[in-house]
Amino acid sequence: SDLRDLFSRRYDRDSTVGIFGDLLIKWDIPGLGDHCPDSFVAFGIQNKEANRTEFSVAAEGTRPALIVEVVSPRYRATDRVKKVRHYATAGVQEYIILDRRKQRGIYVDEIIGYRLDGEGQYLPLIPDDEGRVFCQTVGVWMGLEEGKVVMVDATTGERLLASWELQAQLLQTEQQLIQAEQRAIEAEQRAAKLAELLQSQGIDLNQI
């Protein structure tokens, strides 16, 4: 997904940050059941490249700092209500909910965010004027545009690009270079033809 791709690109060179999706989390809190979120970010990872079948908080020695759930209609109440309590109990620093639903035939995008306070309770994140919320754990503003997740680096203000967007940019740049080369060749050919024409008229270019 774009979500995991964006995070993976952001932390590609950091061996201590793990980006996971659809991976079962086994908590270290008695009575708290397992969860399998759409995406999560964990800092302080020991073996980033390991092929995990689950994420055991006790074994990893760290817990997810940020969890992002993409709401499906079937599990809307679970994602928007139950998991808010569960993830707060689990000590997840931030929880982001991406919800796209139909209202009166029109799709409505909504992003909801929570951050733990000093007492281990979730406080809602207030969206900015563009409807984005600030994810402190990863240093980005996150929002939804036509159902697609958008992330902006909070320090530089630059939008993070997914792999497919970067490839599209590269392809466009290559095409522009090819077109520029073609125009240069055509200009040389026109110049050569003009020189031939002038010479045929007895005009010496060196005398001009």
Side-chain angles (χ1 to χ4, degrees):
S1 71
D2 278 0
L3 195 61
R4 290 201 295 275
D5 183 53
L6 288 166
F7 281 136
S8 295
R9 290 191 59 77
R10 186 166 179 77
Y11 293 106
D12 182 46
R13 297 181 182 179
D14 194 329
S15 62
T16 67
V17 183
I19 312 300
F20 306 99
D22 299 321
L23 184 67
L24 191 73
I25 302 172
K26 287 189 167 293
W27 303 105
D28 54 352
I29 298 167
L32 185 61
D34 304 336
H35 291 87
C36 191
D38 292 301
S39 297
F40 67 93
V41 181
F43 298 95
I45 293 293
Q46 298 299 319
N47 189 355
K48 183 173 181 173
E49 303 303 325
N51 186 18
R52 293 169 171 82
T53 56
E54 64 181 33
F55 189 94
S56 169
V57 170
E60 297 282 354
T62 187
R63 62 206 321 100
L66 169 68
I67 286 181
V68 183
E69 294 280 16
V70 180
V71 174
S72 61
R74 188 177 172 187
Y75 298 108
R76 181 163 280 117
T78 300
D79 289 337
R80 293 183 59 132
V81 182
K82 287 184 182 177
K83 287 183 181 176
V84 176
R85 295 195 302 268
H86 294 174
Y87 292 153
T89 301
V92 178
Q93 204 63 34
E94 289 179 322
Y95 174 36
I96 304 294
I97 302 163
L98 305 177
D99 195 357
R100 187 174 217 220
R101 61 190 187 283
K102 230 175 186 179
Q103 285 184 344
R104 298 174 186 173
I106 299 171
Y107 280 107
V108 177
D109 290 331
E110 186 179 12
I111 181 166
I112 304 163
Y114 296 94
R115 184 181 300 133
L116 284 181
D117 64 7
E119 298 175 0
Q121 301 294 316
Y122 269 152
L123 294 178
L125 301 179
I126 308 301
D128 67 1
D129 294 340
E130 296 180 48
R132 305 173 306 182
V133 295
F134 176 53
C135 299
Q136 197 173 59
T137 50
V138 291
V140 301
W141 287 91
M142 192 185 302
L144 281 172
E145 289 181 9
E146 297 180 356
K148 290 189 177 295
V149 65
V150 174
M151 291 188 206
V152 175
D153 188 296
T155 303
T156 65
E158 291 182 10
R159 183 168 163 256
L160 306 187
L161 298 178
S163 295
W164 65 270
E165 290 176 301
L166 287 166
Q167 287 170 351
Q169 272 192 359
L170 182 63
L171 185 62
Q172 186 180 27
T173 302
E174 287 175 350
Q175 288 172 339
Q176 287 171 344
L177 285 171
I178 291 169
Q179 289 169 355
E181 286 173 2
Q182 188 64 35
R183 285 194 295 270
I185 291 168
E186 289 170 358
E188 284 179 9
Q189 289 172 343
R190 284 196 298 271
K193 284 182 180 178
L194 179 61
E196 284 178 16
L197 178 64
L198 291 172
Q199 285 176 344
S200 70
Q201 299 296 319
I203 299 171
D204 186 354
L205 290 175
N206 294 322
Q207 300 300 317
I208 296 177

